[in-house]
């Protein structure tokens, strides 16, 4: 399509009408110019294509498709290649079905374990979320189909999601909530971005020029289409001007007419409509010009991939030597989810799975001695006594009890948040009752978000499957019987209890405002800073083999913030089974004037190792890895000083640390005057040097006398100096300073900070 030519020939009315959907899933065709309609479909962990014409509510049944593990699970793979593979499979399905864009990935940060959509999101950590999203997008788009990264921005709860204002400071936005999108937008260049429903600091995401245009396009270079979440538009004309190109679904022409009127009465420039229409035309052309009309997809092959993927995702949380299971044991398989697993969440991401493989299906005919008991009714919270008794009896008769537990569908879903972090009471009771008769208990969990585990220290094994997709049973069978080696790691912290979570006092907010008062201290950034015990830490996951870390190196001990640092470590598989280790690099700042997390994940990789094999893994860290977002600079900033670079197998299992000193090229834009304190100068050698004459002016104070004095301890001298304003040298110094001399010093400091007068 010659986009410029088509655009020129389109009337204002046609251009406006292109900027909103015809129905739930299509843009409108522009018949006069032969522009076809363009179809989008939910996802993100499979194709939820609804074929009913003119469905304006999205309620019709979707086609039979393949449900891959949800993002809560794929995130625990920590495996970029896996995400790309899944992306490619879904991209191919889209090609075959004529879908131009899949509505995912969803990268919102897991601020609270209660968020109803956490199962669709990746992590509490922005680096992990954006890296995995990027890998998925690349996979989808390699098939000439668009991905749609969503929900931009700060949609971290379901409660009043269409109206709530997320109140967040700029530093927190840049370090945590924007960062989850930033890496993926810059690196994978998604064709589209979906704005969220909520408001950010009072302004609707759908009309927030600062984020839709200044940050997304001007700073990050995004050049695709921004579409609204479904029904997220409040003021269409303001939204269009702010950078929202496409409204989904349409409003039967109501908002299109408002756009036309706004142009006619001079409220809106026609160039703004042209810009949006042009982007939408380019999107359509991108798909149409590479459309593989003969593309086919193979449901069985994708089903197989879904099972293999889940094998990489499941996290072995605890193993007192009970796993893998012994093939010769009699095993009581307890719990409904062993037969009818919970493998996906509810809402717009729900896939019409063409088939489902359970653990019982996967182990059928393999010669195992399994006694199945349903154990609980997942439609109820209370215990069904008859089911419980049968389960306890099965456990008594067996060598091991394998309990398939988890959250029922109505416990977590799009549209509402959880009220608590517990499993249904009937399932906790079941585990407790089985423990009374059987010491060998393994719990296999199906949930999209952390749960409390009051029995964790008494069961011998815990497997977190998350929501593992339609072939979850295959993965469970392979992992539990040791045909596959677990390699998933937690992409979020499992706190001991809900009230430990940093957002606890400010979730989900009230009066349509939610205050992100914990700032950057989200997830492990908070638990580590508070030194809280957690049930299972971020990055944790066990294996059936053992990995040894050695030879940890950093390329330099002293660098400038403009340099990069190479970090490497040798990982050896010293056990007897092949496996995959997730190597995690954290950076911990030394002295800091601003409150900073104890450590932050700055690089990771997943490495396959045969038994006995050693590999060297290398990472490059750049400025961003050491920085925080400085609001005065409006940029990321690395204060000069010492940093610890750490390598670990989890955020609480750090194996080696190396100190690196960094000298920053820039200084924060802080203005100095006579009232600036001594401590304002400390930390950076260039500023500290300016203070020397002032400090010399205190030399008349006899240190020996001070030491002798009982009233003034050396600690007190040091403590008083820090917060002392510079101007105090006029009275407490040796009389050599005056206002003019002080001004010369503060002028120099301001110059160093890039402020001229
Ligand atoms: C969800 C989006 C989804 C859209 C279309 C919205 O309610 O928030 O994630 O893509 O519906 O179904």
């Amino acid at each position: 399509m010659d986009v410029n030519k088509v655009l020129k020939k389109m009337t204002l009315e046609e251009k406006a009408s292109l900027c909103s959907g015809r129905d739930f899933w299509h843009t409108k065709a522009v018949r006069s110019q032969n522009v076809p309609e363009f179809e989008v479909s939910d996802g993100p962990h499979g194709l939820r294509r609804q074929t009913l014409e003119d469905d304006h509510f999205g309620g019709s049944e979707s086609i039979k498709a393949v449900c891959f593990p949800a993002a809560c699970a794929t995130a625990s793979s920590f495996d970029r290649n896996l995400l790309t593979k899944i992306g490619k499979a879904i991209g191919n399905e889209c090609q075959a079905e004529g879908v131009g864009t899949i509505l995912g990935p969803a990268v919102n940060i897991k601020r609270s374990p209660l968020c109803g959509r956490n199962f669709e999101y990746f992590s509490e950590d922005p680096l992990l979320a954006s890296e995995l999203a990027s890998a998925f997008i690349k996979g989808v788009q390699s098939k000439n189909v668009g991905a749609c990264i969503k929900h931009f921005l700060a949609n971290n709860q379901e409660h009043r999601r269409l109206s709530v204002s997320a109140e967040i400071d700029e530093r927190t936005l840049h370090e945590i909530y924007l960062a989850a999108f930033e890496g993926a937008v810059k690196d994978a260049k998604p064709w589209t971005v979906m704005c969220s429903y909520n408001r950010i600091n009072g302004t609707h995401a759908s009309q927030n020029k600062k984020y839709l245009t200044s940050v997304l396009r001007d700073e990050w270079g995004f050049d695709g289409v921004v579409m609204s979440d479904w029904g997220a538009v409040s003021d269409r004309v303001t939204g269009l001007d702010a950078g929202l190109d496409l409204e989904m679904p349409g409003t039967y022409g109501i908002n299109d007419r408002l756009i036309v009127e706004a142009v006619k009465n001079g409220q809106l420039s026609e160039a703004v409509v042209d810009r949006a229409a042009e982007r939408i035309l380019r999107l359509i052309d991108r798909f149409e010009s590479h459309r593989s009309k003969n593309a086919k997809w193979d449901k069985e092959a994708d089903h197989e991939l879904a099972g293999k993927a889940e094998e990489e995702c499941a996290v072995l949380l605890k193993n007192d030597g009970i796993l893998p299971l012994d093939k010769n044991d009699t095993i009581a398989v307890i719990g409904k989810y062993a037969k009818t697993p919970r493998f996906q969440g509810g809402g717009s991401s729900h896939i019409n799975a063409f088939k489902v493989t359970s653990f019982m299906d996967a182990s059928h005919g393999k010669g195992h001695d399994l006694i199945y008991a349903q154990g609980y009714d997942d439609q109820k919270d209370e215990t069904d006594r008859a089911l419980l008794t049968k389960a306890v009896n099965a456990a008594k008769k067996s060598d091991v009890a394998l309990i398939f537990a988890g959250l029922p569908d109505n416990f977590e879903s799009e549209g509402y948040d959880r009220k608590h972090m517990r499993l249904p009471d009937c399932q906790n009771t079941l585990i407790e009752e089985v423990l009374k008769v059987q010491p060998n208990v393994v719990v296999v969990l199906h949930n999209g978000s952390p749960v409390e585990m009051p029995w964790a220290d008494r069961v011998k094994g815990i497997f977190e499957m998350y929501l593992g997709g339609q072939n979850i049973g295959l993965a469970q069978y392979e992992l539990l019987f040791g045909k596959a080696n677990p390699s998933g790691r937690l992409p979020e912290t499992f706190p001991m209890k809900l009230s430990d979570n940093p957002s606890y006092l400010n979730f989900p907010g009230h009066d349509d405002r939610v205050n992100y008062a914990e700032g950057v201290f989200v997830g492990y950034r908070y638990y580590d800073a508070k030194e809280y015990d957690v049930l299972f830490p971020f990055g944790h996951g066990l294996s059936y083999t053992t990995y040894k870390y050695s030879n940890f190196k950093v390329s330099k001990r002293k660098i400038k913030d403009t340099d990069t640092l190479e970090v490497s470590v040798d990982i050896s598989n010293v056990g007897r089974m092949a496996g995959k280790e997730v190597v995690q690099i954290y950076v911990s700042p030394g002295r800091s004037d601003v409150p900073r997390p104890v450590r932050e994940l700055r690089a990771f990789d997943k490495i396959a190792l045969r038994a006995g094999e050693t590999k060297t893994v290398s990472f490059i860290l750049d400025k961003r890895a050491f920085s925080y977002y400085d609001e005065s600079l409006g940029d990321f900033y690395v204060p000069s000083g010492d940093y610890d670079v750490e390598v670990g197998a989890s955020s609480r299992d750090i194996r080696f640390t190396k100190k690196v000193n960094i000298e920053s090229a820039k200084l924060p834009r802080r203005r100095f005057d006579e009232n600036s304190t001594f401590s304002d100068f400390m930390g950076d050698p260039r500023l500290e040097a300016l203070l020397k004459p002032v400090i010399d002016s205190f030399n008349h104070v006899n240190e020996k006398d001070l030491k002798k004095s009982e009233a003034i301890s050396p600690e007190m001298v040091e403590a008083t100096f820090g917060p002392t304003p510079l101007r105090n040298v006029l009275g407490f110094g040796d009389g050599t300073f005056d206002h003019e001399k002080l001004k010369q010093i503060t002028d120099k400091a301001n110059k160093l900070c890039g402020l001229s007068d």
Side-chain angles (χ1 to χ4, degrees), residues 416-455:
Y416 54 90
D417 299 315
R418 284 193 294 169
K419 298 275 175 295
H420 59 76
M421 227 178 77
R422 297 187 301 276
L423 284 171
D425 288 348
C426 60
Q427 295 191 31
N428 280 329
T429 306
L430 171 72
I431 297 169
E432 294 293 352
E433 292 301 311
V434 169
L435 271 168
K436 286 182 187 159
V437 301
Q438 174 56 261
N440 298 320
V441 175
V442 176
V443 178
V444 182
L445 289 166
H446 308 66
N447 45 304
S449 205
V451 290
E452 287 167 21
M453 302 182 206
W455 31 260

Side-chain angles (χ1 to χ4, degrees), residues 633-702:
L633 285 173
D635 199 357
F636 285 86
Y637 169 66
V638 184
S640 298
D642 286 341
Y643 290 76
D644 281 342
V645 179
E646 308 173 326
V647 63
S650 90
S651 59
R652 293 265 171 114
D653 183 6
I654 301 300
R655 303 288 173 90
F656 296 108
T657 300
K658 294 264 183 213
K659 216 169 257 324
V660 175
N661 182 275
I662 307 191
E663 191 190 305
S664 185
K666 257 201 221 164
L667 284 165
R669 294 170 75 82
R670 293 212 178 96
R671 188 170 287 286
F672 287 85
D673 60 25
E674 277 190 12
N675 284 309
S676 302
T677 65
F678 282 72
S679 59
D680 292 340
F681 286 76
M682 302 314 283
D684 188 274
R686 288 158 293 186
L687 288 173
E688 280 175 21
L690 295 179
L691 268 194
K692 183 152 185 324
V694 187
I695 290 169
D696 287 348
S697 169
F698 283 88
N699 277 347
H700 71 289
V701 183
N702 186 329

Side-chain angles (χ1 to χ4, degrees), residues 97-114:
E97 294 288 336
V99 170
T101 284
I102 182 91
L103 301 176
V107 295
N108 298 89
I109 291 290
K110 299 183 194 219
R111 175 176 177 247
S112 162
L114 298 186

Side-chain angles (χ1 to χ4, degrees), residues 24-25 42 48 103 117 120 150-151 161 194 197 229-230 348 414:
F24 225 66
W25 306 117
D42 273 318
R48 182 173 156 262
L103 301 176
R117 279 186 105 169
E120 275 186 73
K150 66 187 187 182
H151 310 86
R161 66 173 168 158
M194 185 191 294
Y197 284 128
D229 198 344
W230 270 228
S348 60
E414 179 177 343

Side-chain angles (χ1 to χ4, degrees), residues 346-367:
S348 60
S349 68
H350 201 271
I351 307 294
N352 188 359
F354 87 93
K355 76 170 176 188
V356 178
T357 305
S358 70
F359 172 77
M360 290 305 280
D361 297 333
S363 35
H364 183 73
K366 307 245 167 71

Side-chain angles (χ1 to χ4, degrees), residues 89-383:
I90 294 176
N92 186 50
E93 293 178 5
C94 287
Q95 269 295 348
E97 294 288 336
V99 170
T101 284
I102 182 91
L103 301 176
V107 295
N108 298 89
I109 291 290
K110 299 183 194 219
R111 175 176 177 247
S112 162
L114 298 186
C115 171
R117 279 186 105 169
N118 274 1
F119 72 88
E120 275 186 73
Y121 301 153
F122 288 113
S123 180
E124 67 188 22
D125 182 84
L127 178 80
L128 183 61
S130 75
E131 288 284 301
L132 297 180
S134 180
F136 177 81
I137 295 166
K138 285 179 188 166
V140 170
Q141 296 191 169
S142 72
K143 300 289 173 186
N144 295 312
V145 164
C148 179
I149 193 166
K150 66 187 187 182
H151 310 86
F152 189 67
L153 173 69
N155 179 183
N156 309 98
Q157 63 187 56
E158 291 302 278
H159 177 79
R160 298 189 70 85
R161 66 173 168 158
L162 282 106
S163 54
V164 74
S165 176
E167 303 287 315
I168 318 179
D169 64 79
E170 278 296 305
R171 177 182 165 203
T172 302
L173 273 166
H174 280 84
E175 286 183 37
I176 308 287
Y177 297 97
L178 283 164
F181 291 87
E182 181 183 357
V185 167
K186 287 180 173 168
D187 180 45
K189 309 206 177 313
W191 291 11
T192 67
V193 168
M194 185 191 294
C195 79
S196 58
Y197 284 128
N198 53 288
R199 291 176 290 145
I200 305 131
N201 297 324
T203 306
H204 281 97
S206 58
Q207 55 200 56
N208 205 315
K209 201 169 199 162
K210 182 168 177 186
Y211 301 113
L212 293 188
T213 295
S214 310
V215 173
L216 185 63
R217 294 189 188 276
D218 301 346
E219 279 182 36
W220 299 350
F222 175 70
D223 63 359
V225 166
V226 175
M227 68 179 85
S228 70
D229 198 344
W230 270 228
V233 172
S234 168
D235 178 334
R236 181 63 184 117
V237 173
T238 308
L240 193 68
D241 193 43
L244 176 71
D245 306 308
L246 177 63
E247 175 179 21
M248 287 302 289
T251 52
Y252 299 95
I254 295 171
N255 283 345
D256 301 349
R257 285 193 287 278
L258 288 184
I259 293 173
V260 172
E261 272 166 36
V263 171
K264 288 193 173 154
N265 68 25
Q267 188 199 342
L268 184 74
S269 152
E270 187 164 352
V272 172
V273 189
D274 286 357
R275 190 183 63 186
E278 183 188 335
R279 288 175 187 150
I280 296 167
L281 288 173
R282 291 202 189 286
L283 173 68
I284 298 171
D285 186 46
R286 233 169 168 175
F287 177 60
E288 289 296 336
S289 59
H290 293 98
R291 185 126 174 218
S292 359
K293 294 256 159 56
N294 304 321
K296 288 198 173 52
W297 67 291
D298 179 345
K299 284 201 183 70
E300 288 296 340
D302 289 356
H303 177 73
E304 186 69 21
L305 173 61
K308 285 283 151 206
E310 173 63 359
E311 246 174 61
E312 307 284 324
C313 302
V315 188
L316 180 56
L317 293 177
K318 175 173 180 179
N319 186 13
D320 284 354
I322 195 166
L323 293 170
L325 296 169
D326 189 332
K327 193 174 184 309
N328 302 314
D329 276 348
T330 300
I331 301 168
V333 179
I334 298 170
K336 185 177 172 192
Y337 297 149
K339 259 195 182 165
T340 45
R342 178 152 184 269
F343 60 91
Q344 66 171 326
S348 60
S349 68
H350 201 271
I351 307 294
N352 188 359
F354 87 93
K355 76 170 176 188
V356 178
T357 305
S358 70
F359 172 77
M360 290 305 280
D361 297 333
S363 35
H364 183 73
K366 307 245 167 71
H368 297 287
D369 185 10
L370 309 180
I371 311 173
Y372 172 76
Q374 184 183 322
Y376 54 85
D377 177 349
D378 78 338
Q379 301 304 307
K380 293 192 191 133
D381 204 17
E382 325 76 65
T383 297

